[in-house]
Amino acid sequence: MKKINYMEVFFAPIIIIMLVFFLLKMSPFGTGSFWYIDLPSQLMMFYNHFYDSFYGSESLLYSWNYGMGMNFWATFCYYLSSPLSFIILMFPRTWIPQMVVVIWLVKLGLASLTMSLMLKRIIKTKALVNSIFSVSYSLIAFSLTYSFLPMWIDGVYLLPLLIYSIYSILYDDKYKLFLATLTILFISNFYIAYIVGIFIFLYFSMELYILAFSKKEVIKKYKQFFVSVFLATCFAAFIILPTYLQVKSNNYENNEYNLMGFSMSPFELYSKFFNGTTVIQNLSIYAGLIVLLLVPIYFFNKKYSLKERLANLSLLIFLLVSILFNLLNYIWHIFEIPNGAFYRFGFVISFYLILLSAKSFIALNEKVLPKLTIVYFITSSILFFLYKTDSLVFYKTKFILNAILLTGMFALLVWLILKPKYQKLLISVLFIFVIGDLFLNAYYTLRNYREVSFDTSWYDKNNPDYDTMFKWLNKNKSGFYRTKPDMELVSSENESLRYNYKGMSSYTSTGNGELNQYLASIGYAANTRTIAMKNGIFISDSLFSFKYDVTKKNRDARIYKKVNQIGDLNLYENKLSLPLGYMVKKEQFEANEQETWIEKQNNLLGRNSENQPYYKQENLKPNFENLNYDKTNQKYQIIDMNKPAFLTYQLKIKDVAEFLVEMNSDDYVTAEHFYKMTINGKKIDFNKLELMNLANLGVFENQEITLKIDLINEAQSIYKPQFYTLNYSLVNKQVNKIKKQSLYNVSYNNKMLKGTIDVTSSDEVLFLSIPYDKNWQIKVNNVKVDGDKMGGFIGVPLKKGKHLIELNYRPMVIYVSSLFSFMMLVIYLMLLVFMNRKTNN
């Protein structure tokens, strides 16, 4: 029989996916993509920073560019630490979107290759039969569904190699391949390594039970297994420990999740074994229709001992029940409720089904033919029954007929293959049918993602002007400052990593959860994983050193200075922005949950000499026409739809102030369509902050204004709006006061920051708008001091006088774990050399 061609095995799934790309007009054959959620907004942006860490001035340890400053090592370890990530570095930075796809395709090819090697070792498959099951594994639904999270696919291609290496322990007492592969997996993605580790342990224990080793041998095998796990954990400690501590420092729990409940019905689970039923970000276990026939037959084939079949059946049942039972699902996910992307262990089930199918196929004989007929009859009966009784969309006429027909064709082929006359030809036909089945599933799955993914033009939607603006800013403006682009320009919360500007927004599972929660408490759109700055809140933006705005709009010259214009993009300097550090009273940053966002913002800036609020709620009473006011719902309802309906408000503005409106959520979303606003008869295009349903109606100075809100375009009602003013004159006076005690002569890089400050007050604390991180080592006049946490930031108690402030980033967990990993590797290699010499002597 023809030998296995491993190059063909590797490239087969890649060619199949490229054909799917061609038919779906996906890049490089069109503008479509599977750039869905995390792939564009996380992976691509993180890879830009990864690239700049090698070819630019950025660092893998810390970045000022997102989340206002964050440890990047945990992000690198969680998302990018696969050895294949280094493919990115071989090509220009502008090719990163394409290279991310290439990395995913290479992983599919490797999954096919490692499965081929494993099958040949374990069950001695040859040539075409080997290819059938190897390619099937590379194109399982999990690998397609989570193409937008390619860091998880490392577990897919390394799993067969780990199973392969397990047999080296079982039969040859050789553990080194297992150790090396496990170490690579731990380094590639510790999260998936945990999932694979559970399965590997269960599988290894099952094989020990089946092979019936003596007690002494079992202890020896387990010793090799666990010593390898221990060593691999040690070698990868520099990845595992920092990442685990960072991820677990944030609370992602869902209190509404019933651990003792069930996630789905068995019928819904059963539907996932059929082509085209994989739902976006959900259970992905499809491994080909052929497994529906071959796996049941395996359990009837007496070529395998009853003990082996029962052991495998027990493991399979446990895996399937893990999907249904929430508690087991919870355990598989490191004792955490998944935030989307459910059933992340689905690939181990697909792997196991394919392995059992391959064992079933090579043991086919005429005695199991009646069982094949029975299995097909039972499958068809179940489908027909569910067609009559179940409400799932899958169990409808079109899907059922296709499933019964296709399963029948596979059953017929398997039945005919047992006839020796045309066996080689029929195996080739079966290969074509399997490839066709996998191709269809890939087509359906990727089509679903194409429909909800970004077009490839998204990556450069604002360029080249956008990129040019940030390059100009970085080149021409020195010192420490942060930059805020308008929300309409921002492509992703992490885009600051790509364009190298210091921003607030971030979206990552390895973020600073405590900082995020503090920012949420003062009004920003933030949760444990995400900060979305939106269009910002002026006072806190200024306090946090957001000095420059990139926008297509015009800014008021009293507050902003225009610095540059490139195309239709404008760059403005916020005249009221504060430096990185300044003296404040500590209580200014102690958030009170009972306070409104206005009170919190006013407290941040501190009390002014006039003892007046910066943000002030204006209790305006309207005059209205053709409207009834419902006090219960606080809503104005149109009386006659054929007559004009409007509200008018009058307000006297003192000093220089911004006029803001807060609307009901429903009104806010549709405001541009249903409401026309004019001030003193002039139509205004109000700017939404996208925070707290606030919109900026303009800046006014010492004048009376009349706001008119017309209900247009068949609007039927409007909820009572709330109005606020922000007194820029007061803000300006307070900012100038604060600047008198602020950092100057600031120098910094990705590992340190220095500055000088002259302190004239003894009852204040130096506030640094640097997110609190215990890894910052703080020195005042070269003496190490402890910093305080002020909100989510760093505070440093100072006495009167001139002080040199120095911060050095010392991530001791990373340093210690890296040293530990290195020393363990050295010790291990030295022991190997010693043992080899001892053996040779």
Side-chain angles (χ1 to χ4, degrees), residues 72-83:
F72 189 79
W73 184 250
T75 300
F76 166 75
C77 297
Y78 192 83
Y79 294 93
L80 311 179
S81 56
S82 166

Side-chain angles (χ1 to χ4, degrees), residues 22-123:
F22 176 77
L23 294 177
L24 291 175
K25 294 183 173 56
M26 296 170 68
S27 178
F29 305 107
T31 59
S33 76
F34 57 84
W35 295 356
Y36 176 71
I37 302 183
D38 293 351
L39 182 60
S41 61
Q42 291 188 326
L43 272 297
M44 287 184 188
M45 303 304 151
F46 297 157
Y47 270 123
N48 275 277
H49 186 82
F50 175 72
Y51 193 96
D52 294 338
S53 297
F54 284 86
Y55 295 121
S57 59
E58 300 304 322
S59 167
L60 287 179
L61 292 183
Y62 192 86
S63 173
W64 294 106
N65 286 347
Y66 77 140
M68 299 181 69
M70 281 205 303
N71 178 329
F72 189 79
W73 184 250
T75 300
F76 166 75
C77 297
Y78 192 83
Y79 294 93
L80 311 179
S81 56
S82 166
L84 296 179
S85 290
F86 288 89
I87 292 175
I88 292 286
L89 303 178
M90 301 176 187
F91 299 89
R93 190 176 188 265
T94 54
W95 289 21
I96 284 176
Q98 292 75 31
M99 289 303 102
V100 171
V101 177
V102 168
I103 288 173
W104 173 64
L105 290 173
V106 170
K107 291 179 181 182
L108 296 186
L110 288 175
S112 182
L113 180 61
T114 57
M115 189 67 167
S116 178
L117 291 168
M118 186 213 70
L119 290 174
K120 182 181 178 182
R121 164 71 192 270
I122 295 177
I123 57 177

Side-chain angles (χ1 to χ4, degrees), residues 3 28 30 84 112 193 250 256 261 375 438 451 485 490 528 543 546 594 611 619 663-664 684 686 692 739:
K3 292 184 178 180
L84 296 179
S112 182
N250 299 325
E256 297 180 359
V375 168
L438 297 169
E451 291 173 354
V490 174
T528 311
L543 288 168
F546 281 91
Q594 305 303 316
N611 200 24
N619 296 313
M663 306 179 76
N664 171 273
I684 59 169
F686 54 89
M692 301 167 293
K739 282 183 178 179

Side-chain angles (χ1 to χ4, degrees), residues 671-802:
E672 294 90 342
H673 182 71
F674 285 126
Y675 312 111
K676 183 179 79 170
M677 298 191 189
T678 56
I679 290 183
N680 295 343
K682 182 179 179 181
K683 186 178 183 299
I684 59 169
D685 295 322
F686 54 89
N687 296 321
K688 291 183 175 180
L689 302 189
E690 300 296 346
L691 294 165
M692 301 167 293
N693 298 328
L694 284 170
N696 176 7
L697 302 181
V699 178
F700 305 91
E701 183 176 5
N702 295 321
Q703 67 183 106
E704 290 188 4
I705 62 173
T706 299
L707 169 67
K708 182 181 180 184
I709 304 177
D710 288 283
L711 279 67
I712 59 175
N713 295 336
E714 299 182 355
Q716 298 180 7
S717 64
I718 183 171
Y719 286 90
K720 180 182 178 181
Q722 302 293 327
F723 297 98
Y724 309 93
T725 53
L726 171 60
N727 191 321
Y728 283 122
S729 300
L730 287 176
V731 173
N732 183 42
K733 291 179 183 178
Q734 185 70 359
V735 165
N736 287 330
K737 176 185 174 183
I738 293 173
K739 282 183 178 179
K740 293 177 182 179
Q741 293 188 97
S742 62
L743 278 181
Y744 59 92
N745 293 336
V746 174
S747 61
Y748 71 97
N749 58 34
N750 286 306
K751 295 180 181 178
M752 75 86 184
L753 183 141
K754 290 182 180 180
T756 304
I757 189 169
D758 299 318
V759 180
T760 59
S761 174
S762 60
D763 61 345
E764 294 183 327
V765 177
L766 172 62
F767 170 79
L768 296 167
S769 60
I770 300 172
Y772 183 86
D773 185 331
K774 62 184 179 181
N775 293 307
W776 280 112
Q777 182 188 86
I778 305 170
K779 291 183 179 180
V780 177
N781 300 326
N782 294 317
V783 177
K784 186 177 178 181
V785 300
D786 294 326
D788 296 329
K789 182 183 289 188
M790 296 180 64
F793 300 93
I794 296 174
V796 184
L798 295 177
K799 297 179 180 179
K800 287 184 180 181
K802 186 173 183 177

Side-chain angles (χ1 to χ4, degrees), residues 506-778:
S506 72
Y507 167 39
T508 171
S509 294
T510 56
N512 186 337
E514 291 186 1
L515 172 69
N516 294 10
Q517 290 168 355
Y518 176 75
L519 292 174
S521 75
I522 61 173
Y524 291 98
N527 56 45
T528 311
R529 283 186 171 87
T530 306
I531 314 169
M533 190 179 188
K534 306 293 185 180
N535 284 323
I537 308 170
F538 187 84
I539 285 182
S540 49
D541 288 354
S542 298
L543 288 168
F544 297 153
S545 198
F546 281 91
K547 188 174 183 178
Y548 294 101
D549 282 20
V550 178
T551 177
K552 290 184 178 181
K553 301 181 178 69
N554 294 317
R555 292 281 192 261
D556 194 284
R558 290 164 289 193
I559 317 300
Y560 296 91
K561 175 185 175 182
K562 191 169 184 178
V563 177
N564 194 15
Q565 181 173 355
I566 300 175
D568 60 354
L569 293 178
N570 301 312
L571 179 66
Y572 287 95
E573 178 184 334
N574 177 2
K575 297 177 184 178
L576 304 183
S577 172
L578 281 161
L580 177 69
Y582 43 85
M583 302 302 290
V584 300
K585 293 187 181 299
K586 190 172 183 180
E587 58 266 22
Q588 290 175 218
F589 287 84
E590 293 176 353
N592 184 337
E593 295 302 321
Q594 305 303 316
E595 293 176 334
T596 65
W597 72 270
I598 291 179
E599 292 169 327
K600 291 175 182 177
Q601 288 288 321
N602 287 335
N603 288 341
L604 286 176
L605 194 51
R607 182 174 296 179
N608 54 66
S609 57
E610 287 86 350
N611 200 24
Q612 294 294 318
Y614 308 101
Y615 278 109
K616 178 183 177 183
Q617 184 167 4
E618 304 289 350
N619 296 313
L620 305 182
K621 294 182 179 180
N623 293 316
F624 47 90
E625 183 71 29
N626 191 28
L627 292 166
N628 272 331
Y629 181 59
D630 180 354
K631 289 185 179 181
T632 303
N633 296 313
Q634 294 190 322
K635 186 176 186 180
Y636 295 93
Q637 191 80 33
I638 289 183
I639 299 170
D640 187 345
M641 292 294 294
N642 296 315
K643 295 180 180 180
F646 57 85
L647 303 98
T648 58
Y649 298 86
Q650 291 186 324
L651 174 66
K652 186 174 182 179
I653 300 285
K654 293 182 179 180
D655 300 323
V656 179
E658 181 179 277
F659 188 30
L660 300 119
V661 60
E662 180 182 12
M663 306 179 76
N664 171 273
S665 298
D666 294 334
D667 292 344
Y668 188 75
V669 171
T670 59
E672 294 90 342
H673 182 71
F674 285 126
Y675 312 111
K676 183 179 79 170
M677 298 191 189
T678 56
I679 290 183
N680 295 343
K682 182 179 179 181
K683 186 178 183 299
I684 59 169
D685 295 322
F686 54 89
N687 296 321
K688 291 183 175 180
L689 302 189
E690 300 296 346
L691 294 165
M692 301 167 293
N693 298 328
L694 284 170
N696 176 7
L697 302 181
V699 178
F700 305 91
E701 183 176 5
N702 295 321
Q703 67 183 106
E704 290 188 4
I705 62 173
T706 299
L707 169 67
K708 182 181 180 184
I709 304 177
D710 288 283
L711 279 67
I712 59 175
N713 295 336
E714 299 182 355
Q716 298 180 7
S717 64
I718 183 171
Y719 286 90
K720 180 182 178 181
Q722 302 293 327
F723 297 98
Y724 309 93
T725 53
L726 171 60
N727 191 321
Y728 283 122
S729 300
L730 287 176
V731 173
N732 183 42
K733 291 179 183 178
Q734 185 70 359
V735 165
N736 287 330
K737 176 185 174 183
I738 293 173
K739 282 183 178 179
K740 293 177 182 179
Q741 293 188 97
S742 62
L743 278 181
Y744 59 92
N745 293 336
V746 174
S747 61
Y748 71 97
N749 58 34
N750 286 306
K751 295 180 181 178
M752 75 86 184
L753 183 141
K754 290 182 180 180
T756 304
I757 189 169
D758 299 318
V759 180
T760 59
S761 174
S762 60
D763 61 345
E764 294 183 327
V765 177
L766 172 62
F767 170 79
L768 296 167
S769 60
I770 300 172
Y772 183 86
D773 185 331
K774 62 184 179 181
N775 293 307
W776 280 112
Q777 182 188 86
I778 305 170

